Amino acid sequence: MKYLFNLLVLLSLFYRSHAQTATVSPAVKTSEAVLNDFMDQRFGMFIHWGPVALRGTEIGWSRGTNVPMQEYDNLYKEFNPVLFDAETWVKTAKDAGMKYLTITAKHHDGFCLWPTKFSDYNIMNSPYKKDIVGELAKACKKYDIKFCVYFTVLDWHDPNYPIHLPDGKNPDPKADMTKFVTTMKNQLQEIVTQYQPYMLWFDGNWESPWKNEYGADIYTFLKKLDPDVIINNRIGGGQPGSHPKLGPEILGDYATPEQKIGELNMNNPWETCMTICQQWAWKPNDKLKTLKECIQTLAKTSGGNGNLLFNVGPMADGRIEQRQINRLKEMGDWLNNYGESVYGTKGGPFKPTEVFATTRKGNKLYVHVFERKSADLTLPALKGVKINKAYLLKGGKINHRQDAAGSITLQLPEQLPNTDDSVIVLELNTNAEKLPVIS
Ligand code: JFZ
């Protein structure tokens, strides 16, 4: 009897570990070279857009909450963003110093911004009738911006998906997940073959109808269509809503901390997604982040060895708000001066703080100074490392000293050259990228 009980326990453990572990063959996983290339980009534009911009409420989440469901589901009949110009958006991203762009081809409300054959709820049935995803893909190619697609798993509009409202309650018995997964694959096949996205940003995988095996199946399916397509970590099933981690039990190529800066991690790739205002979709008079917040967020993500996917929500007429364009351009101006300390660097070896963050490349350690708290900035010791030279990235010698233990003191100029982030370069007698993380 006891033996039987143990056997059952073992069997259930075995079953559970298999149910949770992704059944993706290591052979189809995205290569390290591709992921390293992705992480070198450091800065991308996220775009949340759809007919909901007509109401200025949150995309997906306001369906059946702030906006009655009937009303929300009919907004597409008035969606006519005549001022949309894909090249203008892409140039806005380019001028901000962004290297990739991710558009919500389909968000939780189910509306498709491309002419899919597998749902009538798409842009061709709006008065606008133009392939928004396709035009963005084309403009990105023209301006050498990597084109990426956001595609939600959960779809509260599709009758084959059991949940129909943001509250996640009252599963519909008429729903059919097998059909739903088939539609999803058909739509993803359209996206991958027609637009060749560099990366797919999944989302909405946390509701109970979604199973890990669906995610593994889709991951494998996509990698057969394009072995190099990068896939984020929101495709597996049975996982919590905020996705700061990667691990053997989690499907996907990189972690996606949301609205917060990820932690320093030299092993697993990550990308913070964050809004330039507060809402993902456009909202009138939404509170815009200051330039200081924007630049320091980018410096801290780079300093933590991660990417920043910075979100704008364009208006219903097709334009991005001018004040947001201006803010992005200011980030681009800063990157024109300091980009060397961001693109293609690694984060660390120090953890970013409110005062400084570090990035590194070759024998250079870049110290991003956010604030002049006092005349000296002291960094924790780097054992056995000698600083050959210290200077401001935009010119000017920096006096420095190292004590016997190796700790580094930099004498800051009375006026930092940039009020948001001034970068000091330390040339080391060794490869900075090989230094272990200082915790
Ligand atoms: C998700 C989306 O729901 C959101 O609309 C946006 O697209 C963002 C990038 O991703 O955001 C989430 C995901 C999970 C939770 C909250 C917001 N959650 O579980 O609390």
Side-chain angles (χ1 to χ4, degrees), residues 283-297:
K283 178 179 163 182
N285 306 312
D286 201 0
K287 188 172 175 229
L288 183 65
K289 288 192 170 67
T290 63
L291 181 59
K292 191 183 275 300
E293 288 173 294
C294 293
I295 289 176
Q296 294 185 359
T297 297

Side-chain angles (χ1 to χ4, degrees), residues 64-86:
T65 54
N66 316 62
V67 181
M69 194 161 93
Q70 279 294 318
E71 182 184 332
Y72 192 111
D73 290 351
N74 284 295
L75 287 173
Y76 75 101
K77 295 177 183 166
E78 297 162 48
F79 188 52
N80 195 14
V82 289
L83 299 179
F84 169 70
D85 177 47

Side-chain angles (χ1 to χ4, degrees), residues 244-260:
K245 294 242 154 66
L246 273 189
E249 74 292 356
I250 294 179
L251 278 170
D253 300 329
Y254 67 92
T256 52
E258 180 174 316
Q259 296 287 36
K260 61 172 186 275

Side-chain angles (χ1 to χ4, degrees), residues 373-387:
K373 285 241 168 178
S374 64
D376 288 341
L377 173 62
T378 299
L379 308 178
L382 291 174
K383 256 195 164 163
V385 173
K386 192 177 163 285
I387 294 163

Side-chain angles (χ1 to χ4, degrees), residues 352-370:
T353 72
E354 287 310 304
V355 179
F356 76 96
T358 56
T359 53
R360 44 185 165 155
K361 189 174 195 173
N363 72 333
K364 287 179 178 160
L365 185 66
Y366 299 98
V367 185
H368 297 251
V369 183
F370 301 140

